[in-house]
């Protein structure tokens, strides 16, 4: 079912003679996407999926079917030195008609005003067409740099977003020169950091080298602008993968989500839940990422990876293959396609698959590691030992993470449990991030409850759910002691993770955090709190609202803007629930509180 409040912004078409105007067209599209994503209750297709349709002729029906939206924007830009004409059209994908179009003739020097003006126009017309949306007075804050500098920034980002080695380095070079001119402009630092992280993630640079190069730029960006959603998201990654502090990681990720809904933020939270072993909850967040960005390869890969972790190998493979269809050079899917074949009882097919890999997969040890795993499973001892020896030679190189991963997995398949734990201990001592995703690995099940292994893992992530035996639920529901126990646990989860800030939170989401069936959680809420699900969650949202509405920083916001920031997703629900609990309207509450 398609969300009725959903929109995609297709890349604006450059109809100028100057090819350099392409940078502005892409930048304008991105800014409008980011601006609309700030509107509560509006589902906005992310950049990657929108740009999948760049330079393609598509129908309204195709957009509706492929992006699952009821409206989309298309436009064009013609620019000269003194004049810019931007044409925008809004199309209904259900009935296939253009219900609004506008032409903006503006001075190119007023680029920030243009972006905000167009975003607000779109938001207003969308509200007229699909129903109520709470829209702020400004959606795009002006950037304090000259327009010429901003255009040069867009040029650098244009090349970085092409996602290949040559163009990424070209974009990095442009932005490095820009930083020398305007050292206090945070955007170039964030994008250079992004470029290096992408190069490392895709295997186009050794990961260690790429992340090492990326870090100074991220630190400078955080110094200049710590409160943007991008900065908060990067901080979340650092807290998880470098500092191994999941509580802080969640805090930063949820702050990023409060600022702007984006698929990579949902993907990040899914990553963190995976580390904790909360795979059902990880699926829920990943589905939200896929909904916003169905054409991002990494989202499809991660869906397949989650199914792999749950030992649903035949379900995993199509998602992993879809990821490669979208991004053939993505280095992760081949690993898990091969391992899924291996673990589903097809070692010879897996061996053939790993043997056929070329390019990036050879460079990042996937071919060598995968074949060695297959030899272990096929009891081809001599070939397996040769592979192990070759993998060990990479332990002192930039490929140390991948070498450790395959050495651990091969030894697990051989049943060398003590060797596995020795390697895991070395990975822990070297603070290798791979350790965190070994937690839920199905291949490591034989050592999961070994005391040494548990001690290492619990030092990394305390109270990890991977080490709790799967509960066998009795036919009867929870008894009084269990209700007391789980009530306390649920309150802690709601406080730590602020789940109520997610407007789409469901009973199933809560159940996945508690690792209980939904029926049990429904009973828990009813008997432990004397509330149904909506009443329980909205109580947290109400308290959040009461705290936020009096903050100085929120004085310029409407009541409903703060309500939406607090997790409510309906004006009617908010007003009705507020009056039921407080005995007065929100306006009366505010006046009464201010008097006191």
């Amino acid at each position: 079912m398609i969300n009725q409040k959903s929109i995609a912004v297709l890349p604006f078409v450059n109809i100028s003679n100057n090819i350099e105007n392409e940078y502005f067209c892409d930048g304008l599209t991105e800014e409008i996407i980011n601006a609309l994503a700030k509107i509560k209750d509006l589902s906005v297709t992310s950049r990657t999926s929108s740009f999948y349709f760049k330079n393609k002729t598509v129908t309204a029906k195709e957009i509706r079917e492929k992006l699952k939206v009821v409206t989309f924007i298309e436009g064009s830009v013609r620019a000269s030195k003194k004049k810019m004409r931007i044409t925008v059209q809004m199309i209904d994908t259900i009935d296939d008609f253009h219900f609004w179009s506008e032409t903006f003739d503006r001075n190119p020097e007023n680029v920030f005003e243009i972006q905000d003006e167009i975003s607000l126009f779109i938001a207003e017309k969308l509200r007229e067409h699909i129903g109520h949306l709470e829209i702020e007075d400004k959606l795009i804050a002006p950037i304090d740099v000259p327009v010429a500098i901003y255009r040069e920034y867009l040029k650098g980002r244009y090349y970085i977003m092409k996602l290949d080695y040559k163009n990424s380095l070209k974009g990095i070079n442009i932005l490095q020169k820009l930083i020398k001119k305007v050292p206090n402009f945070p955007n170039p630092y964030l994008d250079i950091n992004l470029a290096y992280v992408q190069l490392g993630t895709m295997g186009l640079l050794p990961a260690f080298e790429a992340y090492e190069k990326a870090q100074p730029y991220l630190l400078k960006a955080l110094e200049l602008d710590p409160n943007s959603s991008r900065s908060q998201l990067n901080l979340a990654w650092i807290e998880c993968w470098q500092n191994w502090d999941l509580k802080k990681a969640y805090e930063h990720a949820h702050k990023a989500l409060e600022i702007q809904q984006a698929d990579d933020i949902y993907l990040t939270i899914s990553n963190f839940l995976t580390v904790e072993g909360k795979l059902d909850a990880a699926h829920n967040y990943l589905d939200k990422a896929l909904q916003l960005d169905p054409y991002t390869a990494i989202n499809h890969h991660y869906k397949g990876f989650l199914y792999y972790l749950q030992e649903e190998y035949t379900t995993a493979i199509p998602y992993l293959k879809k990821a490669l269809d979208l991004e053939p050079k993505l280095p992760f899917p081949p690993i898990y396609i091969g391992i899924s074949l291996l673990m589903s009882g097809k070692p010879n097919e897996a061996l053939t698959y790993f043997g056929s890999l070329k390019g990036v997969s050879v460079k990042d040890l996937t071919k060598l590691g995968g074949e060695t795993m297959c030899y272990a499973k096929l009891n081809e001892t001599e070939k397996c030992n040769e592979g192990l020896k070759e993998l060990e030679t990479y332990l002192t190189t930039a490929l140390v993470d991948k070498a450790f991963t395959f050495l651990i997995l091969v030894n697990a398949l051989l049943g060398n449990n003590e060797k596995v734990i020795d390697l895991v201990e070395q990975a822990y001592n070297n603070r290798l991030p791979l350790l965190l995703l070994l937690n839920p690995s199905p291949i490591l099940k034989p050592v999961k409850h070994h005391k040494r292994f548990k001690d290492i893992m619990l030092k990394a992530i305390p109270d990890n759910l991977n080490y709790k035996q799967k509960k066998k639920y009795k036919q009867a529901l929870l008894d009084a002691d269990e209700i007391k126990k789980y009530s306390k646990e649920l309150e802690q989860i709601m406080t730590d993770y602020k789940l109520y800030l997610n407007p789409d939170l469901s009973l199933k989401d809560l159940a996945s955090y508690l690792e209980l069936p939904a029926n049990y959680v429904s009973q828990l809420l009813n008997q432990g709190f004397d509330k149904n699900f909506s009443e329980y969650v909205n109580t947290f949202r109400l308290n959040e609202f009461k705290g936020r509405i009096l903050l100085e920083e929120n004085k310029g916001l409407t009541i409903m803007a703060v309500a939406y920031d607090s997790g409510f997703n309906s004006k009617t629900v908010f007003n009705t629930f507020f009056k039921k609990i407080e005995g007065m309207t929100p306006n009366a509450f505010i006046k009464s509180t201010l008097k006191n």
Side-chain angles (χ1 to χ4, degrees):
M1 185 176 176
I2 299 178
N3 183 349
Q4 293 304 301
K5 294 185 178 181
S6 56
I7 190 169
V9 183
L10 300 192
F12 278 53
V13 178
N14 174 26
I15 56 174
S16 307
N17 293 326
N18 185 356
I19 188 64
E20 294 221 345
N21 196 50
E22 192 83 8
Y23 316 139
F24 176 77
C25 289
D26 284 2
L28 175 64
T29 307
E30 276 197 74
E31 287 296 339
I32 292 173
I33 290 171
N34 291 335
L36 295 177
K38 295 175 183 175
I39 300 174
K40 301 294 181 182
D41 287 343
L42 183 61
S43 177
V44 183
T45 300
S46 293
R47 180 197 190 279
T48 307
S49 289
S50 290
F51 275 73
Y52 178 82
F53 296 95
K54 185 177 171 72
N55 299 325
K56 295 178 182 177
T57 302
V58 289
T59 65
K61 182 181 178 183
E62 287 175 303
I63 294 296
R64 183 177 75 248
E65 291 175 349
K66 293 179 178 179
L67 296 182
K68 302 292 189 290
V69 293
V70 297
T71 48
F72 73 96
I73 297 292
E74 60 182 15
S76 62
V77 181
R78 184 190 299 276
S80 62
K81 287 186 178 179
K82 296 183 179 179
K83 184 179 179 182
M84 177 181 291
R85 168 165 286 188
I86 301 172
T87 302
V88 184
Q89 298 180 90
M90 191 177 293
I91 298 101
D92 184 306
T93 67
I94 306 296
D95 298 318
D96 191 8
F97 74 98
H98 294 59
F99 64 86
W100 172 71
S101 65
E102 188 79 28
T103 298
F104 301 84
D105 289 318
R106 299 291 185 270
N107 184 334
E109 291 300 305
N110 300 329
V111 57
F112 306 120
E113 291 87 344
I114 293 167
Q115 291 172 343
D116 190 50
E117 181 184 6
I118 293 174
S119 298
L120 285 168
F121 255 98
I122 291 170
E124 287 290 351
K125 293 302 175 183
L126 190 62
R127 176 161 62 182
E128 291 173 10
H129 186 66
I130 66 173
H132 176 68
L133 294 169
E134 193 75 20
I135 302 170
E136 296 179 15
D137 292 337
K138 287 188 76 66
L139 292 174
I140 297 176
I143 298 172
D144 189 21
V145 296
V147 171
I149 292 291
Y150 181 68
R151 285 181 172 274
E152 193 68 10
Y153 160 68
L154 290 179
K155 182 177 180 180
R157 181 170 174 80
Y158 172 83
Y159 286 111
I160 284 170
M161 295 312 292
K162 286 184 175 291
L163 301 179
D164 64 82
Y165 181 79
K166 184 178 178 181
N167 281 306
S168 292
L169 292 187
K170 186 174 182 178
I172 289 170
N173 186 48
I174 290 169
L175 296 182
Q176 285 174 331
K177 290 178 180 176
L178 195 63
I179 283 169
K180 292 178 181 176
K181 298 178 185 177
V182 280
N184 293 325
F185 182 21
N187 293 31
Y189 295 99
L190 279 172
D191 282 300
I192 294 173
N193 169 73
L194 172 68
Y196 278 125
V197 169
Q198 286 175 168
L199 288 172
T201 301
M202 293 186 293
L204 300 175
L205 275 180
F208 178 80
E209 176 189 335
Y211 298 155
E212 192 174 51
K213 287 182 175 180
Q215 190 174 35
Y217 293 100
L218 173 59
L219 293 176
K220 183 63 178 178
L222 292 171
E223 178 188 320
L224 294 170
D225 184 11
N227 295 317
S228 73
S229 64
R230 298 299 93 193
S231 296
Q232 288 297 321
L233 187 59
N234 280 307
L235 281 169
W237 275 96
I238 287 173
E239 291 297 350
C240 178
W241 302 110
Q242 292 184 27
N243 299 339
W244 295 358
D245 188 331
L246 273 178
K247 186 175 181 181
K248 287 184 179 177
Y250 278 116
E251 287 175 4
H252 288 298
H254 283 297
K255 280 182 184 177
L257 201 57
E258 284 181 55
I259 298 166
Q260 177 183 340
Q261 287 194 60
D263 72 294
D264 52 352
I265 303 174
Y266 283 118
L267 172 64
T268 296
I269 296 173
S270 183
N271 293 160
F272 300 163
L273 291 165
T274 304
V275 169
E276 287 195 286
K278 297 173 179 175
L279 300 183
D280 289 337
H283 269 294
N284 291 340
Y285 275 88
L286 201 275
D287 286 342
K288 292 178 174 66
L290 277 167
Q291 182 183 349
L292 290 174
D293 213 338
Y295 283 89
T296 292
I298 193 65
N299 289 345
H300 288 275
H301 161 73
Y302 207 77
K303 189 71 173 174
F305 177 65
L306 288 173
Y307 279 122
Y308 155 75
L309 292 178
Q310 293 177 312
E311 302 178 59
E312 296 182 38
Y313 304 118
T314 56
T315 306
I317 290 173
Y319 285 98
L320 299 166
K321 288 183 174 179
K322 174 69 173 178
L324 286 180
D325 288 342
L326 292 168
E327 179 48 69
K329 293 183 179 180
L330 194 65
F332 316 116
I335 300 172
Y336 296 103
I337 291 172
I339 296 178
S340 291
L341 289 169
L342 181 68
M343 298 302 289
S344 59
K346 300 175 182 177
N348 287 305
E349 193 174 331
L351 183 61
T352 301
Y353 176 80
F354 281 122
S356 69
L357 295 176
K358 297 176 183 177
V360 172
S361 296
V362 176
K363 182 181 175 183
D364 73 3
L365 301 186
T366 298
K367 186 173 188 290
L368 171 62
E371 287 180 331
T372 306
M373 290 179 69
C374 293
Y375 293 137
K377 199 77 169 174
L378 290 165
N379 296 317
E380 294 194 28
T381 307
E382 188 174 334
K383 289 182 178 179
C384 181
N385 287 337
E386 287 174 6
L388 285 169
K389 286 179 183 176
E390 190 174 348
L391 284 168
E392 286 172 354
T393 65
Y394 289 95
L395 291 177
T396 54
T397 72
L399 297 174
V400 57
D401 270 57
K402 199 61 70 69
F404 258 113
T405 299
F406 282 118
L407 284 168
I408 289 168
L409 295 178
V410 172
N411 277 286
L413 290 171
L414 291 170
N416 298 334
N417 292 350
E418 291 299 327
K419 178 67 174 176
V420 167
I421 297 169
D422 288 342
L423 288 165
V424 169
E425 190 165 32
Q426 289 178 56
Y428 174 82
N429 291 336
N430 287 294
R431 302 286 291 187
L432 297 181
L434 73 94
L435 184 80
L436 303 186
L437 284 178
L438 289 176
N439 279 337
S441 171
I443 295 175
L444 296 189
K445 283 170 71 175
V447 298
K448 189 169 285 188
H449 295 288
H450 191 292
K451 187 178 185 305
R452 276 181 65 209
F453 186 81
K454 284 176 67 175
D455 288 346
I456 295 166
M457 291 299 183
L458 289 170
K459 276 195 291 184
I461 302 294
D463 196 30
N464 197 298
L465 287 181
N466 291 284
Y467 310 116
K468 294 180 179 179
Q469 292 284 352
K470 205 72 176 176
K471 304 174 185 73
K472 292 184 178 179
Y473 297 106
K474 50 189 180 293
Q475 195 66 29
L477 299 185
L478 302 172
D479 60 31
D481 288 341
E482 288 172 322
I483 287 174
K484 185 176 179 181
K485 171 182 175 292
Y486 285 118
S487 293
K488 185 176 180 181
E489 190 173 329
L490 180 58
E491 291 286 284
Q492 192 65 50
I493 286 170
M494 293 293 282
T495 301
D496 289 348
Y497 300 149
K498 295 184 181 293
L499 300 182
Y500 51 87
L501 294 180
N502 174 11
D504 299 318
L505 185 70
S506 67
L507 180 64
K508 184 181 176 184
D509 292 330
L510 279 193
S512 63
Y513 272 85
L514 278 170
E515 294 283 296
L516 287 172
N519 282 343
Y520 283 59
V521 178
S522 180
Q523 181 210 5
L524 174 65
L525 295 174
N526 186 259
Q527 295 183 10
F529 299 94
D530 195 26
K531 291 180 173 71
N532 62 31
F533 169 76
S534 294
E535 291 169 334
Y536 178 73
V537 175
N538 285 336
T539 299
F540 281 92
R541 291 169 176 161
L542 182 60
N543 289 332
E544 182 79 12
F545 170 84
K546 288 160 63 178
R548 287 179 181 234
I549 196 64
L550 300 176
L551 294 177
E552 187 69 28
E553 64 199 60
N554 290 330
K555 283 193 174 177
L557 299 180
T558 65
I559 287 176
M560 280 315 301
V562 179
Y564 288 136
D565 284 344
S566 304
F568 285 98
N569 59 12
S570 161
K571 185 176 182 178
T572 303
V573 169
F574 167 68
N575 285 325
T576 303
F577 190 75
F578 194 100
K579 193 166 184 181
K580 175 184 173 183
I581 300 302
E582 298 295 330
M584 62 180 81
T585 65
N587 262 319
F589 168 82
I590 295 167
K591 289 175 183 176
S592 169
T593 306
L594 291 175
K595 281 181 183 178
N596 298 331

